[in-house]
Amino acid sequence: MTYADRRTVLAGLAGAALSASVLNAFAASPAHAADLYASNTDLYTKLAGKEGTDFARRYKRHELFDNSDNLRQPFNRTTIMAIHGGGIEGGTSELCLGIAGYHPATLAVRPAGGPVHDYWMFEGTRVSNNGELHVTSTRNDDRSALSMAAGSLNVLSLHGCTAAQAGTSAGVPEAVVVGGLNADFKRYLHEEFQAAGFHTIDGSEVPALAGEDPENICNKTLLGKGAQLEMTAELRQSMFDAGHFSRSERPTHTNAGFDAFVGAARKAIARLEARPDQAIL
């Protein structure tokens, strides 16, 4: 399928041109300089007692143990993160769960029996003004998030941006910027997304979205490098049924575009994890 064909399919799934109100549900967060909180710790301190109303944290950390003399249990290879989930950068929570191998509404393993990955999400749960909860990637000091990244070989961190921020060409607003310090992971992501008909942009072309700062949580892995996806609002919107873009509706209204994107990301992860340098020693 060509990219033009892909856009036609997504347009049919998503409905007509996006209105300002619809795009607002998938808006990017404020510029980092405008962040109200210096770190996650700062946010938790200033919003003490607001977890569950203003924000939420969700994660799954798989239990592994090795109590035998001759078997080796696999260490965790890949963690998926949505550090601006919920109402902050719409659609990233659902994609995080999907790529990790879970249905975003029921948390059932999908596909059944398929591989699953650890995940960590910080989500804005306010009725409005969730963008105020944005903490930039280099300042995420949540202890659970940091420990999960540090205990994984790979991290894939999901973010939302605007078409203007991504620098997409005219008429091609649906795009994903692939960044991070893991060059091989980036290459696999480019190849799999393009094979599925998605338009990708290399982070090197968009320095503000490159995800190459060593302090970015996606790079705080065992290997000191990871990957980051910055998805335009139009791309994220195209992955949900028309008219069902609210935070409460998105988990039950994903479409074929969502499945294709999730599948491509999972294929890239599988290729990465099959490498000899990811094997148990």
Side-chain angles (χ1 to χ4, degrees), residues 194-218:
Q194 290 171 7
F198 294 99
H199 178 55
T200 69
I201 299 171
D202 194 82
S204 61
E205 301 175 21
V206 193
L209 304 181
E212 295 179 345
D213 192 320
E215 292 302 308
N216 186 316
I217 195 166
C218 80

Side-chain angles (χ1 to χ4, degrees), residues 28-39 83-84 88-89 131-140 159-161 165 206-213 215-217 228 230:
S29 301
H32 294 172
D35 284 351
L36 297 179
Y37 304 101
S39 64
I83 69 173
H84 304 139
I88 304 174
E89 293 170 356
E132 295 178 354
L133 302 173
H134 180 279
V135 176
T136 189
S137 303
T138 57
R139 298 176 184 169
N140 188 318
H159 298 265
C161 66
Q165 289 170 332
V206 193
L209 304 181
E212 295 179 345
D213 192 320
E215 292 302 308
N216 186 316
I217 195 166
Q228 173 179 288
E230 290 273 3

Side-chain angles (χ1 to χ4, degrees), residues 97-98 100-113 116:
L97 290 169
Y102 299 95
H103 189 287
T106 66
L107 299 184
V109 175
R110 190 174 72 168
V116 293

Side-chain angles (χ1 to χ4, degrees), residues 229-240:
L229 302 179
E230 290 273 3
M231 299 161 285
T232 64
E234 290 84 354
L235 176 60
R236 287 173 285 133
Q237 187 270 347
S238 73
M239 299 181 191
F240 301 90

Side-chain angles (χ1 to χ4, degrees), residues 43-63:
L43 183 150
Y44 302 151
T45 301
K46 291 177 178 176
L47 295 182
K50 296 292 187 179
E51 186 162 8
T53 55
D54 282 28
F55 69 92
R57 287 174 283 183
R58 288 195 285 165
Y59 68 87
K60 187 172 183 69
R61 196 171 206 167
H62 299 109
E63 179 180 346

Side-chain angles (χ1 to χ4, degrees), residues 35-276:
D35 284 351
L36 297 179
Y37 304 101
S39 64
N40 282 67
T41 296
D42 183 42
L43 183 150
Y44 302 151
T45 301
K46 291 177 178 176
L47 295 182
K50 296 292 187 179
E51 186 162 8
T53 55
D54 282 28
F55 69 92
R57 287 174 283 183
R58 288 195 285 165
Y59 68 87
K60 187 172 183 69
R61 196 171 206 167
H62 299 109
E63 179 180 346
L64 299 173
F65 70 95
D66 185 342
N67 196 34
S68 67
D69 292 333
N70 60 349
L71 296 178
R72 291 174 294 176
Q73 290 291 338
F75 49 82
N76 189 52
R77 287 170 173 76
T78 306
T79 293
I80 317 300
M81 291 189 167
I83 69 173
H84 304 139
I88 304 174
E89 293 170 356
T92 57
S93 288
E94 293 78 21
L95 286 162
C96 176
L97 290 169
I99 295 171
Y102 299 95
H103 189 287
T106 66
L107 299 184
V109 175
R110 190 174 72 168
V116 293
H117 306 287
D118 286 359
Y119 63 81
W120 187 91
M121 299 184 290
F122 175 88
E123 301 175 290
T125 56
R126 294 172 171 173
V127 175
S128 61
N129 299 322
N130 283 288
E132 295 178 354
L133 302 173
H134 180 279
V135 176
T136 189
S137 303
T138 57
R139 298 176 184 169
N140 188 318
D141 63 350
D142 182 283
R143 292 179 180 179
S144 292
L146 288 174
S147 64
M148 290 177 71
S152 304
L153 286 182
N154 318 300
V155 163
L156 180 61
S157 186
L158 310 178
H159 298 265
C161 66
T162 66
Q165 289 170 332
T168 60
S169 57
V172 189
E174 303 95 349
V176 54
V177 180
V178 182
L181 288 175
N182 191 323
D184 290 326
F185 199 179
K186 284 178 57 179
R187 176 164 57 85
Y188 298 151
L189 288 163
H190 276 294
E191 291 173 353
E192 295 299 338
F193 285 137
Q194 290 171 7
F198 294 99
H199 178 55
T200 69
I201 299 171
D202 194 82
S204 61
E205 301 175 21
V206 193
L209 304 181
E212 295 179 345
D213 192 320
E215 292 302 308
N216 186 316
I217 195 166
C218 80
N219 296 318
K220 291 191 171 183
T221 67
L222 282 167
L223 300 176
K225 56 186 179 181
Q228 173 179 288
L229 302 179
E230 290 273 3
M231 299 161 285
T232 64
E234 290 84 354
L235 176 60
R236 287 173 285 133
Q237 187 270 347
S238 73
M239 299 181 191
F240 301 90
D241 295 334
H244 299 281
F245 306 126
S246 68
R247 186 171 62 86
S248 62
E249 292 179 303
R250 288 195 297 267
T252 55
H253 288 87
T254 59
N255 61 29
F258 179 95
D259 293 339
F261 192 91
V262 164
R266 286 174 61 81
K267 286 181 181 178
I269 292 169
R271 289 176 63 185
L272 183 68
E273 293 186 345
R275 291 169 54 96

